[in-house]
Amino acid sequence: MIPVVNAQETAKTVPESQLQMQLSFAPLVKQTASAVVNVYAERMVERRSPFLDDPFFEQFFGQRMPNRTEKQSSLGSGVIVEADGTVVTNNHVIEGADDIKVALADGREFPCEVILKDDRLDLAVLKIKDGGNFPSLPIGNSDAVEVGDLVLAIGNPFGVGQTVTSGIVSALARNQVVKSEFGFFIQTDASINPGNSGGALMNMKGELIGINTAIFSRGGGSNGVGFAIPANLVKVFLASAENGAKRFERPYVGATFEPVTSEVAEALGLQTARGALVVKVAGDGPAAKAGLKPGEVVTAVNGVPVEHPDALGYRLTTAGLGIAVDLTVLDNGKEETVKLTLDGAPETAPRDQRQIEGRNPFAGAVVANLSPRVADELRMASDTTGVVVTEVKPGSPADRLGFAARDVIVSVNGNAVDSTKTLAAALQDDPGFWRVEIDRDGQRLRQFFR
C-alpha cells in the first residue's frame, strides 16, 4: 500500500537565537537519505555511418553501409516509497532504456522493471526485481506546503554521489516551466543540478513533498531555481500503477480552457487575472452536463483556488477518477457552484485500428477513428474528429512520403474521409494519381503523388 501521511497544522516559527541557528539537519538526513537511490539507465543506439550514400565507399560495401551500435548511459535519482522496492523517478531518466538498475546509498545494486511511466507528467514507477525490505520515504501532503517552508533536496548531481542541499519553498503552482501540456510545480531555491532528476524534495518531518524534475538555468547548473512535481500527484500516479494500469488516465472534462489575461479580466469585470476561462464545451461531455458554458471562469475546485488552466488540471487529476468535484464558477459577475463528475475519456467512436496495405500513399500507416480517448492517447485536442494516423512503419511508402503520427486524413482524391471504413474504400482503387489532404497541427496540407 502507498504510505499516506495526514498533515497536521503546526505552528511555524523563525529562529529566535544563535543556538537555534546552529541546529543541524544531520539527524533528518540519517533517517531518510537511505531511501533515495541512484538510477542507472542504459540503452543501445544505432549510429548512422557517415559514409552512407558515398559512391566511393559503396564500391567496397555495396548499397548497405554498416552502422555502429553503441551503448548510452544516463544517470538520475529515485525515491523508494514502499518497503517492497517501489521506486518513483522521472520518466526522462529512464526513457528508452533497455536496462535499468538502482544503487542504494550502502552500495548495493538491483535490477529494476518499469511498472508505469508517463512522459506528460514526467513520472515513472519502477520495481526492484529482487524482493526485500527496503528503506522507504513516507509521502506527505504537498497541499500543506507553504512558501517559505524549509526543504531538503536529495539526489546524485553530476554523478558525484548522493548529495543533500537545503533551501526553502520559493513559490507554488508554477507552470510553463518545461515544454509539457501539464504544469504545476513546487519551486525551491535548494540546489538542484543535472542528476538530481527523480530525487526527493523533503520537508522537515522527513516526508516526500515532491520529485525534483527540472532546473531553470542557462549554464546547466543550479542558479537557485529548481522545480519539483508535487507529492499529491505522485500519490495518484502510484495508485494507478498499483491497480495495474498500463497508462495513466486523466479525467475527461469535455471542455477547453485558456488563462485569464489582464485584458480578459477587465472585459469580464474580474478584480484579478486568475482562473481558467472556459473557451469551448463539447456537446455531450461532463462539462456540458455540469452546465459549464463558454465565457465562464473556473476559480476554484472544492474550495481550493486555481490560478490558471494547469492548476485546474492538477486539481482535477489529483481528485481522482470516479469522483464528483465542486467547481466555483464566475458568470457575469455572479459566483455559483457546479458539480463535475470525473471520468476517463470515452471512446465515442470505435477506433477500428487497422494497418493500410497495398499500392497507395498510406501503405505502412496504422490508422484509427478519433474519439476523446484516442485523442488523449495521442495528445490531441479532445474534440478532434475523423481518421488519424497513429503509427507509421519505418521504411514504408507512408514513411518515405512524410506522413507521421497525429496526421488527420481529411480527403483522398476529393472523397471526404470520416472513418477508417471510408478510407479503406477510397484506397481500393489505383488511379495512378493521388490527391491527399491532411490536417497537421491545425494546418491543411494538400499533396499529390503518382
Side-chain angles (χ1 to χ4, degrees), residues 207-284:
E207 300 167 344
L208 180 72
I209 59 169
I211 296 293
N212 298 323
T213 189
I215 57 175
F216 189 83
S217 169
R218 297 184 180 181
S222 174
N223 286 342
V225 184
F227 300 93
I229 299 171
N232 285 5
L233 184 57
V234 175
K235 290 179 188 178
V236 176
F237 194 75
L238 273 171
S240 183
E242 282 197 340
N243 292 333
K246 299 304 180 184
R247 60 180 293 267
F248 182 71
E249 195 169 357
R250 297 154 184 74
Y252 171 67
V253 180
T256 55
F257 303 88
E258 289 184 357
V260 177
T261 63
S262 56
E263 292 81 5
V264 170
E266 183 178 357
L268 296 178
L270 304 179
Q271 295 182 350
T272 58
R274 304 181 72 180
L277 175 67
V278 182
V279 178
K280 187 187 298 184
V281 177
D284 56 352

Side-chain angles (χ1 to χ4, degrees), residues 4 19 46 51 71 75 106 113 127 135 155 181 193 224-225 233 251 257 261 328 337 342 348 361 380 438:
V4 178
L19 181 62
E46 189 175 78
F51 305 114
K71 183 182 292 186
L75 174 65
D106 59 12
E113 61 179 334
K127 184 67 176 293
E181 68 173 39
N193 290 289
V225 184
L233 184 57
F257 303 88
T261 63
T328 303
T337 300
L342 303 177
T348 51
M380 302 173 69
I438 63 172

Side-chain angles (χ1 to χ4, degrees), residues 23-36:
L23 295 175
S24 173
F25 294 123
L28 185 60
V29 173
K30 290 177 182 178
Q31 172 189 337
T32 59
S34 57
V36 181

Side-chain angles (χ1 to χ4, degrees), residues 78-103:
V79 184
I80 303 176
V81 292
E82 294 184 9
D84 64 358
T86 300
V87 178
V88 176
T89 185
N90 284 141
N91 177 75
H92 74 260
V93 171
I94 55 93
E95 184 64 24
D98 302 308
D99 185 35
I100 304 171
K101 294 181 180 179
V102 299

